[in-house]
Amino acid sequence: MLGRRDVMGLGLAAAASMVGRPARAAHDDLARAAEAAWIWSVPLIENARARSGALETLEPGQLFHNRDLTTIATQRVTTPNNDTLYSRAWIDLAAGPVRLHIPPMGGRYYSAALMDMYATNFAVLGSRTLGPGGADVTIVGPDAAAAPGAVRSSTRWCWLLVRILVGDADDLPNVRALQDRIRLTRHAAARPSRPATRDAPWDAYFASAQQLLAENPPPMRDLGLLRRIAPLGLGPGQRFDPDRFGAGERAAIERGVDAARAQVENARRHGLAADGWLYPKSNAGQFETDYVYRAQIAISGLGMLPVAEAMYLRALGPDGKVVLPPASGYHLRFPPGGAPPNQAFWSLTMYEAMADGRFFFAANPIDRYAIGDRTRGLKTGADGSLEIWISETPPAPERRSNWLPAPAGRPFSLVMRIYGPSDGLLTGAYRLPPLRRL
C-alpha cells in the first residue's frame, strides 16, 4: 500500500453510544467544552471554506491548474508560494474511488499531497516518495473495500494539491505541459453548502462544525475530545441545538470560544525558536491530537506539508511573534556554503500580515514576492557569502539584485521554505542565520 489510514473513522451509531447524548452541564463545563470544540473544529471550517471557494467554479473532483505562479491578483489561500505551479481538486470519495495519473517528471521537484478534512496529509506522492517516474494511484474513501496499492483517505472529502517547481519564467511552458499530462478520474457529486467563518457567532460556527463532522466522521483518536465536547450537542450522531441553552449557558459558551481564539493566537510560537526563527514541530502536517497547533496552522498555513517533505520557518519579531513591525530594513547573511541545505529548493517569501491572522503577498514596485536559489541575477560575495536585503524602499544600487521588498508601513511576515530538507535541518544540526535589523 502506498498509504493506509492509521485510524478508523467512527460510525455514527457507535460513536453516539460511546459519547452519549448531550446533557445539561455546569457553566464551567460548557465553557471548557466550547473552548475545546472550537479549537478542534478549526481545520474543518477552514478546509470547508477553501473547498467552497474552489467549487464556486469547479465541480467536485475536477482538476484545476494554475498556469502561472501565484501573484497578488490570484492568491486565494493564506501563505501562498511563488515557487511552484499548483494543480488542485476537491474530491468526494462517497461517489467511489478515483484514479490519479502522475506523469514522469524527470529530475524536477513535484509533490501531490492528499489531505483529509482534519488537515492530515495521509499521502504525499512525489519526487521524494515515488522518484522521477510518476505513478498511477487509486484513492479510496474511509469505508471502501481495500485495493492493492490504493491510498485511503480517512475522510469522505479530501484535497489534492499538486506542486511542480518552476525554474524561472522561461520554464513555465515546460511545467504547463506536465500539468496537462496529469489525469484525475471523477464521479458526479453535489456541491456542499458553504460553512460559517471561524469568526462567526458561536451558534452558527458550531452548527457548521456539526454538519461537517457528520459529513466527515472523526478518527478514533479523537474519542476523548468528543466526550469532552458532548455537552454542547456536538459529535457523531449528535444534534446541535443552540436554542436549548439558557442565557447563562450561552454566556459560558461565548466565554469558552473567546478563550479558544486567544489560545490559538497565543500559540503562534508553537515550535522551536532558534536565532530569531521559528522551526516547525516534527508533527507539522500530521498533527494527531495536537489540536492547538493544528488550528494555528489551519489559519496561517493551510495545506502545510510534513517536515520530511518541506520545512517552513518563520522569522520572529522583537516580541517573539511571527509578525514583524514595519522598519527601515532587515539584512540576512548566509556565510560561504551556508545557504539552506536541501534536495529540491529554498526560497524566502514576504507576506503582509492581515488582521484576521492570514498572510498574503503585498504589492511592490518590482513584483517580487520571494527570493531564493532560482532568483535571476542573485549575487554572491567574493567569498561565496549570500546577502539578502529586506526593506520597503530600494536599497543601494549594488544591493538591488538581492532585494526582497517589504509592504509599505504595514506589519509583515517572512517564511523560509526549504523543500527536500537535508538531514542537518531535520536533526537541528543546521540553523538559519539571524535576521538583522538595519
Side-chain angles (χ1 to χ4, degrees):
M1 296 279 286
L2 287 171
R4 53 187 301 179
R5 61 180 174 180
D6 57 343
V7 291
M8 182 73 70
L10 294 176
L12 296 183
S17 66
M18 288 186 285
V19 173
R21 303 301 297 171
R24 309 236 357 138
H27 292 178
D28 287 348
D29 289 340
L30 276 178
R32 286 190 289 268
E35 181 177 3
W38 192 91
I39 291 170
W40 175 81
S41 56
V42 162
L44 278 173
I45 293 292
E46 292 300 302
N47 270 316
R49 292 282 296 177
R51 180 182 67 182
S52 292
L55 297 183
E56 286 178 357
T57 55
L58 300 173
E59 297 292 333
Q62 182 180 355
L63 195 60
F64 174 78
H65 302 296
N66 288 109
R67 297 301 198 176
D68 293 287
L69 292 171
T70 304
T71 68
I72 191 171
T74 60
Q75 58 190 341
R76 296 290 181 269
V77 177
T78 184
T79 329
N81 84 42
N82 193 239
D83 305 296
T84 67
L85 289 193
Y86 287 110
S87 298
R88 65 192 80 198
W90 284 95
I91 304 167
D92 184 1
L93 293 167
V98 301
R99 186 79 169 169
L100 173 65
H101 170 72
I102 302 172
M105 297 283 184
R108 183 186 301 273
Y109 173 82
Y110 73 98
S111 63
L114 288 160
M115 291 163 281
D116 67 19
M117 290 295 286
Y118 293 91
T120 295
N121 287 265
F122 59 88
V124 181
L125 313 171
S127 47
R128 178 180 65 89
T129 55
L130 298 179
D136 288 284
V137 179
T138 299
I139 307 164
V140 301
D143 301 318
V151 174
R152 185 182 297 279
S153 173
S154 52
T155 55
R156 165 185 168 179
W157 281 88
C158 69
W159 184 19
L160 167 66
L161 188 58
V162 180
R163 298 169 173 91
I164 308 177
L165 182 63
V166 178
D168 55 28
D170 294 338
D171 191 33
L172 279 170
N174 302 320
V175 180
R176 292 167 182 159
L178 290 170
Q179 288 180 313
D180 289 337
R181 295 174 60 193
I182 301 172
R183 296 285 184 270
L184 181 67
T185 64
R186 62 189 179 97
H187 307 280
R191 288 188 177 95
S193 60
R194 192 172 186 85
T197 62
R198 71 174 183 276
D199 57 356
W202 67 270
D203 50 353
Y205 177 92
F206 285 138
S208 283
Q210 175 62 25
Q211 181 179 9
L212 288 166
L213 71 86
E215 173 192 82
N216 300 277
M220 183 66 76
R221 64 171 176 260
D222 290 346
L223 179 57
L225 181 285
L226 293 169
R227 286 174 171 153
R228 293 199 300 275
I229 68 175
L232 292 168
L234 294 173
Q238 298 271 36
R239 178 177 176 271
F240 175 69
D241 178 13
D243 292 335
R244 72 183 181 87
F245 296 110
E249 293 168 319
R250 297 172 72 89
I253 294 170
E254 289 176 356
R255 187 170 72 249
V257 170
D258 288 343
R261 289 175 173 145
Q263 186 177 169
V264 170
E265 175 62 28
N266 292 334
R268 293 294 170 83
R269 280 198 59 171
H270 269 218
L272 171 66
D275 296 326
W277 291 92
L278 184 66
Y279 289 74
K281 296 174 71 172
S282 61
N283 61 342
Q286 294 171 328
F287 305 96
E288 294 291 326
T289 58
D290 194 345
Y291 303 126
V292 175
Y293 186 44
R294 186 180 69 173
Q296 184 259 316
I297 296 301
I299 293 170
S300 64
L302 190 66
M304 175 182 278
L305 289 163
V307 294
E309 187 71 26
M311 291 185 71
Y312 308 89
L313 287 66
R314 291 180 176 270
L316 294 172
D319 59 358
K321 295 185 178 181
V322 298
V323 175
L324 283 71
S328 58
Y330 294 84
H331 173 230
L332 182 64
R333 181 183 184 275
F334 296 102
N342 65 88
Q343 304 299 317
F345 69 92
W346 69 266
S347 68
L348 180 67
T349 308
M350 169 67 66
Y351 298 102
E352 182 176 346
M354 303 290 112
D356 64 358
R358 295 183 299 167
F359 301 92
F360 290 108
F361 297 148
N364 66 81
I366 60 173
D367 293 330
R368 177 180 284 177
Y369 311 110
I371 194 167
D373 56 9
R374 290 153 295 110
T375 300
R376 283 185 173 182
L378 196 67
K379 295 179 181 178
T380 56
D383 62 352
S385 63
L386 174 64
E387 296 180 289
I388 297 175
W389 305 92
I390 301 157
S391 59
E392 297 178 7
T393 56
E398 66 272 14
R399 297 174 176 175
R400 289 183 188 174
S401 61
N402 293 20
W403 176 41
L404 180 61
R410 296 286 301 159
F412 62 91
S413 183
L414 286 168
V415 175
M416 174 66 77
R417 286 179 169 81
I418 307 170
Y419 277 63
S422 70
D423 289 343
L425 271 163
L426 294 171
T427 62
Y430 172 89
R431 296 296 187 203
L432 285 179
L435 189 67
R436 304 293 186 187
R437 190 162 180 169
L438 297 177

